[in-house]
Amino acid sequence: MSGEEVLIPDDRAFSSFKSECCSEGGWSLTYNKGGITVWIQILEEEKSLHKIKCRMVCKDVSAETMYDVLHDIDYRRKWDSNVIETFDIGKLTVNADVGYYSWKCPKPLKNRDVITLRSWLPMGKDYIIMNYSVKHPKYPPKKDMVRAVSIQTGYLIQSNGPSSCTLTYLAQVDPKGSLPKWVVNKSSQFLAPKAMKRICKACVKYAEWKQRHNPGYKPWLYPEQNPLSNIPLTELSIQHADSLENIDESSLSEGKDERAEHSDDDGPN
């Protein structure tokens, strides 16, 4: 998203996101194993600014279930081991809201957080969920976190039939700071594939979990269920990366515990 005004994505923005998810021109393949493919684009090496794209076929998961799992914030707290805190702040329209998410970074890096405007759209049998960073006056950067910037991040879910789908994750995030090269390498070679596998496993277990946790509650499908208060767009502003503090972590080496985790790449988790 560009420009100064906070805008809710329109159909053209969703179509553009889908096209980028599906194109392979200009991307460097970094991982292709076990049905998961990862590509990266290095944009500004000195700023650790890059795009990453991951694609995975989930043979036992419908597109509808994948869409539910990626939306269900209560379930995310259960399966997403990287999450520190996540909550909704308020709604903008029936298919757009504002939320907070903080996550654990590989040691010894500082943990990151974001405030994002999220929007979603079913497109035939496919679904898109995407976000970009905004500022909200009630949620300034925290002292113990580095406020990252999502320039554009999202998921494309494509149906392959009643019980199979393809998930593509596309992210352009400014992590704010100079990161060591091992972080970018680890993201594409290890962290992204592991995260995709975790999402797929979460989908398989979702129906059973949802039956025990407010099974009829899906505000992303039924907007009338949404309890969030409306936020006027005028309360939000674009979160520019250059207005945030830069953290130089380029000289940090990978923690011993983090290196050991590489052996878990294809193991049970």
Side-chain angles (χ1 to χ4, degrees):
M1 305 300 295
S2 59
E4 295 301 313
E5 188 181 355
V6 173
L7 299 172
I8 296 169
D10 58 14
D11 288 351
R12 280 186 304 174
F14 282 102
S15 295
S16 173
F17 179 81
K18 182 176 181 178
S19 294
E20 188 163 14
C21 284
C22 295
S23 79
E24 294 181 14
W27 292 87
S28 300
L29 180 68
T30 61
Y31 183 98
N32 189 8
K33 189 176 174 183
I36 300 173
T37 311
V38 183
W39 300 265
I40 63 168
Q41 272 185 11
I42 300 296
L43 302 174
E44 292 183 54
E45 195 160 356
E46 68 278 5
K47 292 185 180 178
S48 310
L49 197 59
H50 68 285
K51 289 184 181 182
I52 187 166
K53 179 162 59 177
C54 318
R55 186 175 298 146
M56 172 181 62
V57 176
C58 297
K59 294 179 181 176
D60 301 315
V61 177
S62 69
E64 292 80 8
T65 297
M66 180 67 74
Y67 187 60
D68 287 349
V69 167
L70 293 174
H71 266 296
D72 198 322
I73 197 169
D74 295 319
Y75 190 50
R76 178 173 282 274
R77 295 186 185 106
K78 175 177 171 58
W79 66 263
D80 186 352
S81 58
N82 290 323
V83 68
I84 297 172
E85 185 180 15
T86 183
F87 55 85
D88 298 324
I89 294 171
K91 63 182 175 183
L92 297 166
T93 66
V94 293
N95 68 325
D97 64 15
V98 177
Y100 173 87
Y101 181 78
S102 58
W103 69 95
K104 301 169 191 170
C105 287
K107 294 176 182 176
L109 304 181
K110 286 190 171 185
N111 294 329
R112 262 67 176 173
D113 69 355
V114 286
I115 305 286
T116 59
L117 187 159
R118 304 176 300 205
S119 53
W120 52 94
L121 186 69
M123 300 177 73
K125 294 183 178 180
D126 302 337
Y127 302 88
I128 291 176
I129 304 170
M130 61 186 190
N131 72 59
Y132 69 95
S133 280
V134 294
K135 286 194 285 190
H136 190 289
K138 293 181 181 176
Y139 299 94
K142 298 181 176 184
K143 288 183 179 178
D144 59 338
M145 293 272 178
V146 176
R147 178 62 51 90
V149 177
S150 167
I151 297 164
Q152 185 174 57
T153 302
Y155 298 95
L156 168 65
I157 307 161
Q158 295 171 291
S159 176
N160 300 328
S163 59
S164 176
C165 69
T166 298
L167 174 66
T168 303
Y169 169 74
L170 175 65
Q172 183 181 350
V173 176
D174 188 334
K176 286 315 296 171
S178 302
L179 297 179
K181 281 188 177 179
W182 64 260
V183 173
V184 176
N185 292 338
K186 183 171 183 176
S187 293
S188 61
Q189 300 282 345
F190 177 69
L191 297 178
K194 190 173 184 181
M196 296 294 268
K197 291 176 193 172
R198 191 180 294 131
I199 291 170
C200 198
K201 288 182 180 180
C203 288
V204 173
K205 298 176 181 177
Y206 181 64
E208 180 188 351
W209 180 89
K210 190 62 174 171
Q211 279 301 315
R212 295 180 281 110
H213 298 84
N214 208 351
Y217 180 69
K218 295 183 178 182
W220 53 93
L221 297 179
Y222 312 112
E224 66 276 7
Q225 295 179 346
N226 196 327
L228 296 174
S229 300
N230 284 301
I231 298 179
L233 271 178
T234 51
E235 277 190 18
L236 305 174
S237 54
I238 297 288
Q239 177 65 77
H240 290 292
D242 55 12
S243 69
L244 294 166
E245 182 185 3
N246 262 313
I247 308 294
D248 186 359
E249 297 172 305
S250 58
S251 61
L252 294 178
S253 57
E254 187 174 9
K256 186 168 64 176
D257 294 344
E258 295 292 324
R259 284 197 301 272
E261 275 193 25
H262 279 278
S263 60
D264 293 341
D265 193 1
D266 291 304
N269 50 54

